[in-house]
Amino acid sequence: MEGSNKKKLSFSERIKNAPKSKWIKFGIMAVLCLLFVYWSDYYLVLILIPIFFDSYILKYFPWAFWKKSKNPTFRKVMDWVDAIVFALAVAYVVTTFFFQNYQIPSSSLEKTLLVGDFLCVSKVSFGARSPMTPLSFPLAQHTLPFFNTKSYIEKPQIEYKRLKGTGQVKRSDIVVFNYPSGDTVALHKQNQDYYALCKEYGRDVVWSNKREFGDIVYRPVDRRENYVKRCVGLPGEFIELKDDDIYINDNKIARPKNMQLYYYIQTDGTAISKKLFTELGISEEDYVKIGFYSTKELITNNPNTVIPDSIYRDLGFEVKDGGNVGNIHTRVSLTQEMVDILKSKPFVWKIITQNSYYKKMGKLTGHKIEQDFVYPLTYNLHCQFGDFPKLWIPKSGATIKFDTDVDYKVAAYERCIKNYEHNDFKYEDGKVYINGQPVDSYTFIYDYYFMMGDNRDNSADSRAWGFVPEDHIVGRPMFIWLSLDKDKGWFSGKIRWNRLFTSAIKD
């Protein structure tokens, strides 16, 4: 009878009979909705206010109809369904607009951020993006675990919009972003860049050999893999690398404190122990890459070859009394602090960067040791390790002229114009056509950024795959809430306690 009488109550009676606690709850939810609309300009969210009003005050609709069921099993199941749906809805809102968990999967930022660091990433720092692919499963980036199927429906796609944030991307910020080259993926080689695969094997081979490469799929911007790197180049700047140093507009900028390079370590013949490398913080992944050679074997592949002492010195190595040239550890990932520690060891004679060794060896032999995958890949550009040719970073509202070096400009900026800013782009007979019209210039819509890892010689970054458009920016890591060392067991130091709840904002 009570439920029947309640249904017959008038509008004014329902308002009058609503408990004060319900009014308080409704008021809180309404204010939160209004604040969210003010922040986001999503006026559609206002539709939630009448829904909350009915749920808390009027109760015209039976939002919790199952609670009146006489079947206890049904009530229990529906209580769980209600809790799960609510949790997923909250997770969707929180991870879309406020915060997201991110785990460091690779060593490209070591020793600044380590493999196994779990980060709390703030999307408010740079302003959250509106949901570009709204029909997606919360907490799954692009693939549903266990089912191995897409976690999203591609349509509809909502136009990119960034909400108000507390700041903008600045130089040296560590940034989480969607991997730009992840727009196309070979499913059997998801950990490899599709465009690098096409360069290495040929596009026809990648598309036709499904046994090796799998299906080739396209992913929307916000469903691409999340990467984390350091922003080193800002929109409108010229960036260049020379001898492991970054130059912005021809001015050298400071290196990050924990930047790593590959080094060659010359010793008196002593093999540096794994224990010492572990004490320095070198992971198992990095340790297995380390080579140990006689200096002569490294240079000639024949330890019996007689080499003038001047050759060793030209390469940067020491020659001791009696012609002793010792042994060499190669590809050792070190920060400057680690280098200083090793230099203090009496058995260590010389430490030089791998890039320096390659360049000196190239001068001696006349054969440069160069990188194969240098952006733009289609230009087949080569440069020596530790270098990167000067490149202009596109800026919103800035115009590029196709008057000189057109081949290079097309290779460098076609992807921005075509893939990121969604224009039809063709280059034929030395002439650029955009949206079917011949043009001699183009004005960019987005800002772009140049991202690099601190582990300079072991990082796939903008030097290989190019710029990060502003619509790919996800957020800024704020703190490390968990850190697990994959080389250790649970009872032998797996949890890095000294990193828990420490700042992820590192220079």
Side-chain angles (χ1 to χ4, degrees):
M1 288 296 292
E2 183 180 350
S4 176
N5 290 337
K6 189 170 183 178
K7 289 181 181 179
K8 295 177 181 180
L9 293 176
S10 66
F11 180 83
S12 59
E13 288 174 328
R14 289 172 184 264
I15 291 179
K16 184 178 180 181
N17 292 340
K20 184 178 180 180
S21 61
K22 296 293 185 180
W23 278 103
I24 293 174
K25 291 179 180 179
F26 165 70
I28 292 172
M29 299 305 295
V31 169
L32 290 175
C33 284
L34 291 171
L35 290 174
F36 186 83
V37 170
Y38 173 76
W39 173 49
S40 67
D41 289 332
Y42 276 101
Y43 292 96
L44 190 62
V45 174
L46 293 175
I47 198 174
L48 292 175
I49 293 180
I51 292 176
F52 289 137
F53 189 68
D54 183 79
S55 177
Y56 289 112
I57 308 301
L58 299 181
K59 298 188 180 296
Y60 276 116
F61 294 95
W63 300 100
F65 64 90
W66 67 89
K67 294 183 182 294
K68 296 180 181 180
S69 173
K70 296 180 180 180
N71 187 330
T73 302
F74 178 71
R75 290 199 305 272
K76 190 171 184 178
V77 169
M78 288 305 299
D79 282 340
W80 276 102
V81 171
D82 177 59
I84 291 172
V85 170
F86 178 78
L88 289 176
V90 171
Y92 181 84
V93 171
V94 170
T95 58
T96 299
F97 295 102
F98 298 99
F99 300 99
Q100 181 177 332
N101 172 56
Y102 180 75
Q103 179 184 359
I104 299 292
S106 70
S107 61
S108 68
L109 268 172
E110 292 200 1
K111 291 294 187 284
T112 304
L113 296 175
L114 307 181
V115 174
D117 282 348
F118 289 78
L119 309 176
C120 177
V121 177
S122 167
K123 295 191 172 182
V124 180
S125 295
F126 306 134
R129 295 174 301 185
S130 60
M132 304 166 78
T133 310
L135 301 181
S136 59
F137 192 85
L139 307 179
Q141 181 62 19
H142 50 70
T143 305
L144 281 175
F146 306 112
F147 298 98
N148 200 30
T149 59
K150 287 195 305 184
S151 63
Y152 59 93
I153 299 175
E154 292 184 4
K155 295 183 179 180
Q157 282 290 305
I158 298 176
E159 186 177 353
Y160 161 69
K161 177 183 178 182
R162 190 168 293 277
L163 310 185
K164 300 179 184 72
T166 59
Q168 297 179 326
V169 178
K170 300 186 295 296
R171 189 179 344 275
S172 294
D173 281 347
I174 295 177
V175 181
V176 175
F177 56 91
N178 295 116
Y179 179 41
S181 286
D183 57 351
T184 310
V185 179
L187 289 182
H188 288 180
K189 303 278 188 179
Q190 293 194 45
N191 61 336
Q192 298 184 44
D193 186 295
Y194 162 78
Y195 298 96
L197 289 173
C198 289
K199 177 179 173 62
E200 183 175 359
Y201 298 97
R203 185 180 184 279
D204 291 342
V205 172
V206 173
W207 278 79
S208 61
N209 190 348
K210 291 188 179 295
R211 175 175 293 182
E212 181 175 356
F213 299 99
D215 291 330
I216 310 300
V217 300
Y218 171 83
R219 285 174 180 160
V221 171
D222 56 342
R223 297 297 103 193
R224 296 168 192 173
E225 288 285 359
N226 286 329
Y227 270 37
V228 58
K229 306 286 182 187
R230 187 183 297 278
C231 177
V232 296
L234 298 173
E237 296 181 335
F238 284 91
I239 187 168
E240 183 180 12
L241 266 74
K242 293 184 290 187
D243 299 324
D244 295 316
D245 283 311
I246 295 175
Y247 290 78
I248 299 295
N249 298 331
D250 297 323
N251 296 312
K252 185 166 72 172
I253 64 173
R255 295 180 174 184
K257 179 181 177 181
N258 291 313
M259 188 188 84
Q260 280 194 161
L261 296 171
Y262 279 149
Y263 286 88
Y264 280 35
I265 304 174
Q266 183 187 21
T267 71
D268 60 5
T270 302
I272 301 175
S273 68
K274 182 178 179 181
K275 180 182 178 182
L276 177 55
F277 280 136
T278 301
E279 290 174 356
L280 289 171
I282 294 176
S283 66
E284 290 279 356
E285 179 182 348
D286 287 335
Y287 180 79
V288 298
K289 299 174 184 175
I290 298 172
F292 184 60
Y293 306 89
S294 71
T295 309
K296 290 182 179 179
E297 184 181 17
L298 180 70
I299 295 173
T300 66
N301 293 322
N302 185 350
N304 297 317
T305 303
V306 177
I307 302 173
D309 291 349
S310 60
I311 296 294
Y312 295 108
R313 294 190 177 96
D314 287 342
L315 289 173
F317 296 124
E318 293 278 356
V319 180
K320 299 293 185 177
D321 294 337
N324 183 10
V325 292
N327 289 319
I328 297 289
H329 290 77
T330 65
R331 291 171 61 85
V332 186
S333 293
L334 301 172
T335 64
Q336 186 58 50
E337 182 181 5
M338 295 177 188
V339 170
D340 294 339
I341 292 173
L342 283 172
K343 281 183 176 179
S344 68
K345 305 296 182 182
F347 57 86
V348 174
W349 288 355
K350 200 76 172 179
I351 302 178
I352 62 176
T353 65
Q354 174 180 265
N355 297 337
S356 173
Y357 172 79
Y358 281 169
K359 289 177 180 178
K360 290 176 179 177
M361 178 62 80
K363 287 181 180 179
L364 283 173
T365 62
H367 300 287
K368 294 181 179 179
I369 305 174
E370 297 180 322
Q371 304 174 70
D372 292 326
F373 296 94
V374 180
Y375 183 83
L377 297 181
T378 56
Y379 198 69
N380 292 319
L381 186 65
H382 297 277
C383 67
Q384 293 188 269
F385 285 88
D387 296 341
F388 185 83
K390 183 182 289 189
L391 179 66
W392 179 73
I393 306 170
K395 177 182 176 64
S396 175
T399 299
I400 186 172
K401 297 283 188 181
F402 295 110
D403 50 1
T404 59
D405 300 321
V406 180
D407 288 350
Y408 179 70
K409 289 177 181 177
V410 167
Y413 303 110
E414 176 183 2
R415 185 167 177 79
C416 301
I417 299 169
K418 181 179 179 180
N419 296 59
Y420 304 145
E421 302 194 359
H422 310 296
N423 295 284
D424 178 60
F425 186 98
K426 290 184 180 179
Y427 181 51
E428 296 178 346
D429 300 324
K431 188 66 179 176
V432 174
Y433 297 83
I434 297 179
N435 299 323
Q437 300 298 317
V439 298
D440 57 10
S441 65
Y442 178 79
T443 300
F444 290 94
I445 298 173
Y446 292 153
D447 281 332
Y448 292 81
Y449 301 88
F450 201 93
M451 306 287 186
M452 286 178 57
D454 289 354
N455 195 358
R456 289 284 173 81
D457 292 328
N458 190 26
S459 173
D461 50 39
S462 287
R463 292 170 293 177
W465 39 254
F467 312 108
V468 176
E470 64 175 77
D471 67 335
H472 284 56
I473 301 294
V474 174
R476 186 182 193 187
M478 299 304 293
F479 63 88
I480 302 165
W481 62 270
L482 178 64
S483 184
L484 302 178
D485 190 334
K486 63 183 178 61
D487 297 333
K488 297 182 179 179
W490 287 104
F491 300 104
S492 57
K494 189 174 190 65
I495 300 177
R496 303 185 185 105
W497 295 101
N498 63 324
R499 295 184 66 80
L500 268 58
F501 299 101
T502 58
S503 174
I505 303 174
K506 301 178 184 293
D507 295 329

